[in-house]
Amino acid sequence: ETGVTQSPTHLIKTRGQQVTLRCSSQSGHNTVSWYQQALGQGPQFIFQYYREEENGRGNFPPRFSGLQFPNYSSELNVNALELDDSALYLCASSRGTAAVVEAFFGQGTRLTVV
Amino acid sequence: GQQLNQSPQSMFIQEGEDVSMNCTSSSIFNTWLWYKQDPGEGPVLLIALYKAGELTSNGRLTAQFGITRKDSFLNISASIPSDVGIYFCAGLDSTSGTYKYIFGTGTRLKVLA
């Protein structure tokens, strides 16, 4: 039990729709990173939020966006869903950006786009 | 996106056997990490390595940070059924000013009782 919770655990959406995934970080952690894990692959970095600001982004298009709230929880939004967006979406929280080695992952949200 | 190469891709072993797996990169990392992921769960950190040549143990697990800083190795001794899962290596990348993990492709371990 890492203290990082994600919701929902599973989700099915239709191509073209929009989706919002949520992450509650561990108490005392002010940094949240989001990763996409396609089936049979390792997680890929999407972006990171630190103190409510985006603090770095991976190779993902602008239709992937995010927010971080004053309580450090975070949302991942994906617009205009494509079939290839089907994946496990993971968030990881840490205390500060350089402390990411001590980041803890949530259980993930399994998104299926049909 | 960038991924590290892990081998073997999958392995079946008998309970009690030792297991070895490795991870290679075209880039240098100053921190290497090993994770285990069970079905339907997020990755769980097993071992973190901070120095080239370092050998670190965590129970039956031993990991080494390669001297070139482009590879790492994980050994599991006397495997047990609960060792089943997918093992990922990750390098900590800070070159763009953001600390983020670059994960490997994973080694799927199955233990036969």
Side-chain angles (χ1 to χ4, degrees):
Chain A
E1 193 71 31
T2 64
V4 180
T5 57
Q6 293 186 241
S7 62
T9 54
H10 296 84
L11 200 53
I12 299 175
K13 287 287 191 177
T14 303
R15 189 171 51 182
Q17 284 188 315
Q18 177 265 345
V19 70
T20 298
L21 310 181
R22 295 178 175 84
C23 173
S24 293
S25 58
Q26 185 167 330
S27 177
H29 285 190
N30 56 16
T31 302
V32 172
S33 304
W34 285 91
Y35 289 80
Q36 180 196 64
Q37 186 176 21
L39 202 60
Q41 301 291 318
Q44 295 276 332
F45 177 76
I46 303 174
F47 44 54
Q48 183 180 89
Y49 277 84
Y50 171 63
R51 292 185 175 176
E52 303 178 58
E53 299 279 338
E54 187 178 292
N55 184 53
R57 189 178 184 91
N59 190 25
F60 281 81
R63 59 190 185 83
F64 285 78
S65 63
L67 282 173
Q68 188 177 34
F69 299 99
N71 67 354
Y72 304 127
S73 66
S74 178
E75 285 182 355
L76 164 65
N77 300 292
V78 187
N79 293 323
L81 283 166
E82 301 177 0
L83 296 179
D84 285 349
D85 295 333
S86 295
L88 181 69
Y89 288 84
L90 296 161
C91 78
S93 80
S94 60
R95 191 193 309 269
T97 57
V100 71
V101 173
E102 303 299 327
F104 297 95
F105 282 87
Q107 84 282 8
T109 293
R110 171 73 61 189
L111 172 65
T112 302
V113 182
V114 297
Chain B
Q2 182 187 1
Q3 282 201 322
L4 310 180
N5 295 312
Q6 287 187 244
S7 65
Q9 196 171 20
S10 63
M11 53 197 314
F12 286 83
I13 60 166
Q14 293 285 339
E15 184 177 358
E17 286 186 345
D18 296 345
V19 174
S20 292
M21 59 188 79
N22 66 16
C23 179
T24 59
S25 168
S26 57
S27 306
I28 287 173
F29 290 109
N30 292 318
T31 301
W32 282 89
L33 308 110
W34 284 91
Y35 286 85
K36 180 173 182 272
Q37 187 174 25
D38 293 326
E41 301 291 330
V44 175
L45 181 64
L46 300 173
I47 293 180
L49 301 156
Y50 301 99
K51 190 176 174 182
E54 179 182 359
L55 194 70
T56 297
S57 292
N58 177 9
R60 293 179 296 106
L61 276 60
T62 301
Q64 183 161 24
F65 191 143
I67 200 74
T68 65
R69 293 192 286 157
K70 289 185 175 182
D71 55 9
S72 181
F73 308 88
L74 177 69
N75 295 302
I76 305 173
S77 63
S79 57
I80 59 178
S82 63
D83 291 333
V84 165
I86 305 176
Y87 291 80
F88 288 101
C89 63
L92 184 60
D93 175 25
S94 60
T95 52
S96 60
T98 300
Y99 288 80
K100 59 183 181 287
Y101 300 121
I102 307 296
F103 280 86
T105 49
T107 292
R108 186 181 298 271
L109 179 64
K110 299 189 180 183
V111 179
L112 306 172

